[in-house]
Amino acid sequence: MSPRSPDLQADLQPDPQPDPAASRRTRRLLPRVLVLIAAVAGGSAWWAYAQQRPPATEGASGPASAAGAASKPRGSGRVQPVSVATVSPRDIQVQLSAIGNITAANTAVVKPKIEAELRRVLFKEGQWVKAGTLLAELDDRSLQIALAQAQGQLARDEAVLANAQVDLERFRDLLAKDAIAKQQVDTQAALVRQLQGTVQIDQASVGNARLLLSYTRITAPIDGRVGLRQVDLGNVVKPGDPNGLVTLTQAKPVNVVFAVPDTHLQAINEQLAAGARLPVEAWDREGRQRLAVGQLGSTDNAIDIATSTIKLKAAFPNDTLALFPNQFVNVRLRLNQLTGQLAVPAAALLRDGQGSFVYRVGEDRTVSARRVTAGATDGGWVAVQGDVKLGDTVVTDGVDRLREGASVEVIKPAGRDAGDAPGKEGGRRKRDR
């Protein structure tokens, strides 16, 4: 065999074993390197996000932090466009808002009073009926027979009574002539009284048969609207049927039952005791359309301890039938009217952890936060007390980027003053410089 070359011998030598100490150092350093890389990447991402994020809104931080935020750079420092309104005196209606349930003035489930087959239905579903209107008829043949039997029994007993009365008169004539014993006259008189009682029983039987026969004609117990029919023709109806034949609801007038916090109970009772007529308005679910106006009628006799509320009931004429039984509506109860209150639009009122505030626009067209206490709300205006006075200009729109001392530019729709209803050219805007 030929001798191996030195290079080939070197390749065939086993690999040297790794140093255990070096491996341990590598394992200790690897997590630190990874943490350092992650920290550098996170810092770079945060720096890029901070450069692009807009400044925080004043509505979220409130005026307490506005002064500190004013010292920070505000993006490009542009003048912010805003809409404004003037603090003005207004008459504010004190209202309580709640959710109410409409109940019919009367509801009647029409049920049969006897068990019989339904032969005729004389109403249409949804029809308005008066009390006493014939609604349905039941099979009356068996009751007609029972009435005829009772009448026949009455006629027979009346004939027997008449004959007994004639015999009694004869016996009395004979007794006057001393031709008959008095005991026989007394016996005949007792028989007459017995037959009179039998006739009375027969008369009651005839009356009962006629009453049962009248039950085959089912009439409306109240004025109201007929619901959906619950039984079809040919079925045997019973007094114990839970659904009856049909349900009548009296929808003119209707009542609205709603609950308000018990803290208002004293004011409500004082108004009712003084004979005041407290108007109650029913609005649709969105609160955009007023459905009807009624009057508060009464309060419940106990407070619900689970919710600390008191139930109230208001009556509505419902002549237009805008309210439907079991419908849910928004209720507004007018308790009082405050005259000459300083008020601002509801859009101008901001809230934070310390309470309510508004942004006042100064003569130099910069804004400052003013603390206020909000009162009653009426028609989009809120009565306020605090660091504002009559004639102050407050921001109603564009407060999301405002800070303490920020410069603003007042804009308003063309053709109207701030705070008023929009005009025909509401889509265009003009600037007050």
Side-chain angles (χ1 to χ4, degrees):
M1 295 182 61
S2 62
R4 297 178 180 177
S5 64
D7 295 338
L8 180 58
Q9 292 180 358
D11 292 340
L12 294 177
Q13 292 294 327
D15 294 334
Q17 294 296 327
D19 188 3
S23 299
R24 286 194 298 271
R25 285 195 300 271
T26 302
R27 285 195 298 269
R28 287 197 301 268
L29 291 176
L30 182 59
R32 299 178 183 179
V33 173
L34 294 177
V35 170
L36 180 60
I37 294 174
V40 173
S44 301
W46 179 87
W47 181 85
Y49 172 75
Q51 293 298 319
Q52 298 176 358
R53 186 179 61 178
T57 61
E58 182 63 30
S61 60
S65 60
S71 60
K72 299 179 182 179
R74 298 193 302 268
S76 60
R78 294 183 302 174
V79 176
Q80 301 296 333
V82 296
S83 297
V84 298
T86 303
V87 180
S88 57
R90 286 182 174 265
D91 296 338
I92 302 294
Q93 296 281 351
V94 179
Q95 296 183 344
L96 298 181
S97 298
I99 297 178
N101 181 34
I102 299 175
T103 60
N106 293 291
T107 301
V109 179
V110 181
K111 295 183 177 182
K113 297 181 180 180
I114 59 174
E115 182 177 348
E117 179 185 347
L118 181 62
R119 298 296 298 273
R120 297 178 63 193
V121 175
L122 304 174
F123 65 88
K124 295 181 179 179
E125 296 175 337
Q127 175 185 351
W128 288 91
V129 296
K130 296 288 186 180
T133 302
L134 183 62
L135 300 178
E137 290 183 348
L138 305 180
D139 185 8
D140 61 351
R141 289 174 294 180
S142 61
L143 296 177
Q144 290 283 6
I145 295 174
L147 175 60
Q149 290 176 343
Q151 289 174 338
Q153 183 74 24
L154 174 62
R156 185 189 66 179
D157 291 341
E158 285 178 340
V160 174
L161 173 61
N163 184 58
Q165 289 174 338
V166 171
D167 289 344
L168 178 60
E169 291 300 326
R170 290 195 188 106
F171 290 167
R172 285 174 179 173
D173 290 341
L174 292 175
L175 179 61
K177 297 177 182 180
D178 200 16
I180 192 174
K182 187 176 182 301
Q183 181 181 0
Q184 190 174 357
V185 176
D186 293 341
T187 302
Q188 186 65 26
L191 178 61
V192 169
R193 290 192 296 271
Q194 180 181 354
L195 292 175
Q196 286 175 342
T198 302
V199 169
Q200 288 181 350
I201 293 175
D202 294 340
Q203 290 174 343
S205 298
V206 172
N208 182 64
R210 286 176 176 169
L211 179 62
L212 293 176
L213 184 61
S214 68
Y215 288 162
T216 61
R217 294 171 56 86
I218 301 176
T219 58
I222 59 174
D223 296 346
R225 188 177 184 180
V226 179
L228 300 180
R229 187 178 64 189
Q230 303 297 320
V231 181
D232 295 330
L233 289 174
N235 287 277
V236 176
V237 294
K238 303 177 182 180
D241 293 340
N243 297 327
L245 295 177
V246 73
T247 301
L248 289 179
T249 55
Q250 186 175 357
K252 293 190 296 185
V254 295
N255 299 318
V256 175
V257 179
F258 58 99
V260 299
D262 57 2
T263 54
H264 303 288
L265 181 58
Q266 181 178 357
I268 294 174
N269 286 335
E270 290 176 353
Q271 296 277 7
L272 293 178
R277 299 170 61 91
L278 299 180
V280 180
E281 298 178 350
W283 292 70
D284 61 4
R285 291 189 177 186
E286 290 75 19
R288 299 176 181 176
Q289 180 182 2
R290 189 176 69 179
L291 302 177
V293 178
Q295 180 180 342
L296 183 64
S298 60
T299 65
D300 201 357
N301 59 357
I303 295 174
D304 187 347
I305 59 175
T307 60
S308 296
T309 59
I310 182 72
K311 287 185 178 180
L312 308 179
K313 178 185 285 188
F316 289 75
N318 200 28
D319 294 331
T320 61
L321 298 177
L323 305 179
F324 210 79
N326 295 334
Q327 177 184 0
F328 285 94
V329 293
N330 289 311
V331 179
R332 299 179 186 177
L333 169 62
R334 281 185 278 174
L335 275 181
N336 198 3
Q337 179 173 339
L338 305 176
T339 59
Q341 298 292 307
L342 288 182
V344 298
L349 193 64
L350 305 175
R351 293 176 177 85
D352 61 6
Q354 301 180 12
S356 302
F357 65 97
V358 296
Y359 275 120
R360 176 184 176 275
V361 180
E363 296 181 356
D364 57 351
R365 297 301 175 94
T366 60
V367 296
S368 58
R370 300 298 178 93
R371 284 287 173 187
V372 294
T373 301
T377 302
D378 181 21
W381 287 80
V382 183
V384 294
Q385 295 179 349
D387 194 14
V388 292
K389 62 181 184 299
L390 183 65
D392 282 351
T393 302
V394 294
V395 178
T396 60
D397 188 18
V399 298
D400 53 340
R401 291 180 177 273
L402 292 183
R403 301 183 186 277
E404 182 75 16
S407 298
V408 297
E409 180 181 10
V410 177
I411 60 175
K412 59 182 179 180
R416 70 179 179 100
D417 294 332
D420 296 335
K424 297 181 180 179
E425 300 179 359
R428 296 184 300 171
R429 289 188 171 185
K430 65 181 181 179
R431 302 177 182 267
D432 293 341
R433 300 184 180 275

